[in-house]
Amino acid sequence: MKITIHNLGPVTDIVVKPSAFTVLMGEQASGKSTVAKCVFFFCTVKDDIREYILRKRRMEPQELVEFLRKKIWGLFGKMLRLKPDLKLSCQYAKGVEIEVSLEDIWPKITLSQKLVDKLQQNSFTGDKAELQRQLNVFFHDDYNTVFIPASRNIAPQLSLPINYMYASMGDDLRNGLDYATQKFLEMMFLCRISLTGGIEGLESLSSSPSLIKWTNDIADLLKGRYVCTHDGEERLYLPGEPLDGGKYILLYLASGGQQELVWIMNISAYCLDIYNRRNDKTMFIVEEPETHLYPAAQKKLMELLAFVANQSQGMFITTHSPYVLGSLNNLLYAGSRPTKFKKKIAEIIPEAYQLKHIDAFYLKDGGIEAAIDDETKPLIQNGLIDDASHELNDEFDGMINIQFKSEEGHALSK
């Protein structure tokens, strides 16, 4: 899959090829969210087709065009109009392409002839599993895609009222929400139904020692265990407390860090459970996983997400945290060492959390550049986003030098 973005928001010209584990870094307003939403837009087209056919039995090319026009507007709105020569495109496979441009200030969707023919011939048929298989083959993409936005902590704060409000909203009101946020909320509501017994209640996640360790590590990171009761109350049970009658706090009263973490881990666990039962893979697009987290918690979260990636899942992470990158570098270094060192290294970083490969990129001035260090492959160039540390050190050194020179001059004058 090759995604091209030309003149959308802060992005001028870039090409992105999402891999099994992609990291996108850059300062604020550099275009990380813009790129992540473009990846989400194109990766979920096959999901859109599948769901439409399940409801209507077939989908005509023009119906897909109209759906995608509304979807891209729901993701970016008037930002699409900032530059009239906007062009977005995705090449899924040879002859399978979708392009977005502007026509009279409105999104124009162009489908490749191969995709048009496939829809006109009503070639996608069968039940949900069979439709997904056919679409995966046609689009050369085995993943379902989930978007976890940077604004995810709004969900616990509005838990019960937003559940009711969203369910009772008409289409016009729902369209007032960013499309990616809509899909995140829908996934959140779906997960909550399955988490009345917490993550530990997902039976497939107790099928191996490594999965059990992973769920226990989640509880350690959260400093509690999440449960959604049958009446929709979200609870975080305190460490060591039983889920039946134990002490808990309501999630919306938990710390900001816990609220940021809980839905990254809940959705990861839910999708892993689906994979274990149905072999459905998920591509997780996670915006700024470091938000509101202490550095040690950022490190632990990267280990938990690395475990998810190692279960044949995909990751697309945006970040501007040197702790996230440093943690990933440790996991990469551990996973790339010669076999003779594996046993000793596993005592420091468990093998299930080690990584073999990451693709990393840096957004700057509307463009993109590779961020893997050529001299220390496969490690990420952490220094690309840690310029603040150099600036702080230079300022401090400058102040020390002023004092040192003053004291030295004073001593010489005596």
Side-chain angles (χ1 to χ4, degrees), residues 8 33-34 36-42 44 68-80 88 147 175 177-183:
L8 177 60
S33 287
T34 301
K37 288 180 179 179
C38 283
V39 172
F40 176 70
F41 173 80
F42 286 115
T44 51
L68 294 181
R69 287 181 71 223
K70 292 177 181 177
K71 178 179 173 181
I72 195 73
W73 187 260
L75 279 168
F76 295 108
K78 292 182 179 180
M79 192 169 90
L80 294 169
L88 316 174
F147 192 93
N175 291 339
L177 293 172
D178 167 79
Y179 183 83
T181 302
Q182 288 182 45
K183 291 301 175 183

Side-chain angles (χ1 to χ4, degrees), residues 24-37:
L24 190 64
M25 65 188 89
E27 63 183 54
Q28 67 272 16
S30 61
K32 298 188 299 299
S33 287
T34 301
V35 175
K37 288 180 179 179

Side-chain angles (χ1 to χ4, degrees), residues 148-169:
I148 304 178
S151 57
R152 56 191 166 268
N153 72 336
I154 193 67
Q157 287 294 329
L158 299 175
S159 175
L160 288 174
I162 204 169
N163 194 6
Y164 168 76
M165 286 167 16
Y166 190 80
S168 59
M169 276 181 182

Side-chain angles (χ1 to χ4, degrees), residues 2 14 23 52 82 102 116 135 160 229 260 353 395 405:
K2 182 174 79 171
I14 71 166
V23 177
Y52 194 95
L82 293 178
L102 285 183
V116 169
L135 288 161
L160 288 174
T229 65
E260 290 286 347
Y353 292 175
E395 287 179 353
K405 288 178 180 178

Side-chain angles (χ1 to χ4, degrees), residues 63-245:
E63 290 172 321
L64 178 58
V65 165
E66 289 303 315
F67 183 90
L68 294 181
R69 287 181 71 223
K70 292 177 181 177
K71 178 179 173 181
I72 195 73
W73 187 260
L75 279 168
F76 295 108
K78 292 182 179 180
M79 192 169 90
L80 294 169
R81 298 175 177 172
L82 293 178
K83 299 172 184 176
D85 57 343
L86 161 83
K87 183 178 177 182
L88 316 174
S89 66
C90 180
Q91 182 179 39
Y92 298 90
K94 186 176 181 180
V96 183
E97 298 180 41
I98 296 175
E99 181 181 293
V100 181
S101 56
L102 285 183
E103 185 175 65
D104 297 329
I105 73 170
W106 292 106
K108 176 185 176 183
I109 307 294
T110 304
L111 310 179
S112 65
Q113 192 59 48
K114 190 172 182 179
L115 177 54
V116 169
D117 292 343
K118 200 78 171 173
L119 292 170
Q120 286 179 335
Q121 295 161 10
N122 197 26
S123 299
F124 300 120
T125 58
D127 61 13
K128 184 173 183 177
E130 176 57 19
L131 270 174
Q132 180 148 331
R133 187 194 67 78
Q134 293 172 16
L135 288 161
N136 286 355
V137 171
F138 182 75
F139 282 94
H140 286 222
D141 180 14
D142 290 335
Y143 296 108
N144 299 316
T145 302
V146 170
F147 192 93
I148 304 178
S151 57
R152 56 191 166 268
N153 72 336
I154 193 67
Q157 287 294 329
L158 299 175
S159 175
L160 288 174
I162 204 169
N163 194 6
Y164 168 76
M165 286 167 16
Y166 190 80
S168 59
M169 276 181 182
D171 288 341
D172 289 343
L173 286 174
R174 289 189 188 188
N175 291 339
L177 293 172
D178 167 79
Y179 183 83
T181 302
Q182 288 182 45
K183 291 301 175 183
F184 167 67
L185 290 173
E186 290 171 11
M187 172 58 77
M188 186 192 81
F189 300 147
L190 191 62
C191 289
R192 290 173 67 184
I193 297 170
S194 301
L195 293 173
T196 54
I199 289 175
E200 295 87 346
L202 300 172
E203 291 185 12
S204 76
L205 299 189
S206 60
S207 61
S208 73
S210 62
L211 282 165
I212 293 171
K213 172 177 168 47
W214 182 72
T215 58
N216 289 336
D217 285 349
I218 291 174
D220 289 343
L221 178 59
L222 276 175
K223 296 189 179 350
R225 289 181 293 169
Y226 172 90
V227 165
C228 181
T229 65
H230 290 287
D231 60 2
E233 185 176 79
E234 292 186 291
R235 300 174 177 178
L236 202 60
Y237 281 84
L238 302 181
E241 291 290 329
L243 300 186
D244 183 15

